[in-house]
């Protein structure tokens, strides 16, 4: 479903606001979740990827953290598409991801409900710093990781959570996506981003056939669009 940020931005656009001024100061995950196609289009051009992911974000989400998240999601799709199966190094992947977004001026935000959550403080957390924590949690259960990262619509939560689900089961698409769905909260977005990472890394045929067969809506159109972007 559409979020309030996108609704406000679209209404501004309909009212004549220029596209580069329509975005709302929001760090929701709407900008990141739609950035995967940018990664397919710019697998070998980091500068073009950063530019187009940022431009795609600011139409609706103008906060620097949202911009950073769109670049991060597109970068992950690009890098994983170019990574041969069975060659993934989670520590190197996350380190390179953080390098790709470290210069984006994201001042960070306090975490949700920090007063009630163990180990949390009111200090602002940047997206790049939260992403850097993901490898340290890969030996944890989905429940423990979700308690730490959380999986709401705030992109400081949902993008690291999606990356954790992928890196926790990179060779098992069904486990990764189902765990993301079962995490609750903004599960559709977290699972969508998780599925993008697994699909980029392993390809469509790694998914269960019941997910990719005749019942998949717009299957031919999606495959054609993806092939043309790539």
């Amino acid at each position: 479903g559409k979020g309030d940020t996108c609704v406000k931005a679209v209404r501004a656009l309909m009212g004549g606001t220029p596209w580069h001024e329509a975005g709302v100061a929001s760090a929701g995950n709407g900008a990141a979740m739609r950035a995967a196609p940018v990664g397919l289009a710019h697998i070998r051009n980091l500068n073009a990827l950063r530019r187009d992911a940022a431009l795609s974000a600011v139409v609706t989400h103008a906060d620097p953290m949202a911009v950073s998240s769109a670049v991060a999601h597109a970068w992950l799709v690009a890098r994983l598409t170019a990574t041969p199966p069975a060659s993934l190094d989670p520590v190197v992947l996350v380190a390179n991801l953080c390098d790709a977004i470290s210069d984006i001026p994201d001042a960070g935000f306090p975490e949700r409900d920090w007063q009630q959550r163990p180990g949390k403080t009111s200090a602002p957390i940047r997206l790049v710093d939260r992403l850097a924590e993901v490898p340290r949690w890969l030996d944890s259960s989905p429940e423990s990781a979700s308690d730490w990262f959380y999986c709401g619509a705030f992109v400081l939560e949902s993008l690291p959570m999606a990356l954790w689900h992928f890196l926790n089961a990179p060779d098992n698409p069904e486990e990764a996506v189902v765990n993301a769905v079962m995490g609750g909260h903004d599960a559709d977005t977290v699972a969508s981003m998780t599925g993008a990472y697994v699909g980029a890394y392993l390809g469509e045929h790694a998914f269960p056939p019941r997910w990719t067969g005749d019942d998949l809506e717009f299957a031919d159109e999606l495959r054609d669009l993806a092939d043309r972007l790539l």
Side-chain angles (χ1 to χ4, degrees):
K2 58 190 182 298
D4 289 342
T5 296
C6 289
V7 170
K8 291 176 182 177
V10 169
R11 285 177 174 163
L13 291 165
M14 292 172 66
T17 302
W19 68 266
H20 57 282
E21 297 177 2
V24 179
S26 167
N29 56 26
M33 66 179 289
R34 64 174 186 252
V38 178
L40 285 181
H42 295 307
I43 287 179
R44 294 182 177 86
N45 190 331
L46 176 60
N47 289 333
L49 183 150
R50 281 163 50 97
R51 179 195 66 223
D52 285 353
L55 290 176
S56 76
V58 298
V59 179
T60 55
H61 294 69
D63 188 271
M65 182 178 286
V67 174
S68 181
S69 73
V71 174
H73 187 52
W75 185 95
L76 283 164
V77 168
R79 177 57 62 93
L80 291 168
T81 300
T83 301
S87 67
L88 181 67
D89 184 325
V91 174
V92 172
L93 178 76
V94 173
N96 289 338
L97 167 64
C98 291
D99 286 343
I101 64 172
S102 61
D103 63 332
I104 298 175
D106 164 23
F109 286 99
E111 296 175 89
R112 182 199 306 265
D113 299 332
W114 60 268
Q115 301 94 329
Q116 288 84 38
R117 295 170 64 198
K120 304 298 184 179
T121 73
S122 60
I125 305 293
R126 298 178 69 209
L127 179 63
V128 66
D129 296 329
R130 181 46 41 92
L131 288 167
E133 298 175 0
V134 170
R136 299 201 298 269
W137 285 84
L138 292 179
D139 292 331
S140 303
S141 67
E143 293 79 12
S144 296
S146 181
D147 284 345
W148 181 256
F149 294 108
Y150 207 63
C151 41
F154 184 18
V155 81
L156 183 65
E157 302 164 351
S158 44
L159 181 60
M161 192 74 252
L163 181 58
W164 183 91
H165 281 298
F166 163 63
L167 292 176
N168 182 60
D171 299 312
N172 189 330
E174 185 165 7
E175 179 181 348
V177 174
V178 169
N179 280 341
V181 171
M182 297 303 291
H185 303 290
D186 202 4
D188 57 339
T189 297
V190 176
S192 171
M193 292 192 290
T194 300
Y197 303 149
V198 182
Y201 179 49
L202 295 179
E204 174 189 345
H205 298 294
F207 289 95
R210 66 185 183 281
W211 289 6
T212 60
D214 294 338
D215 291 336
L216 178 62
E217 292 182 303
F218 301 107
D220 291 339
E221 293 90 337
L222 287 168
R223 291 186 180 100
D224 178 64
L225 178 58
D227 286 341
R228 288 189 287 119
L229 282 166
L230 186 60

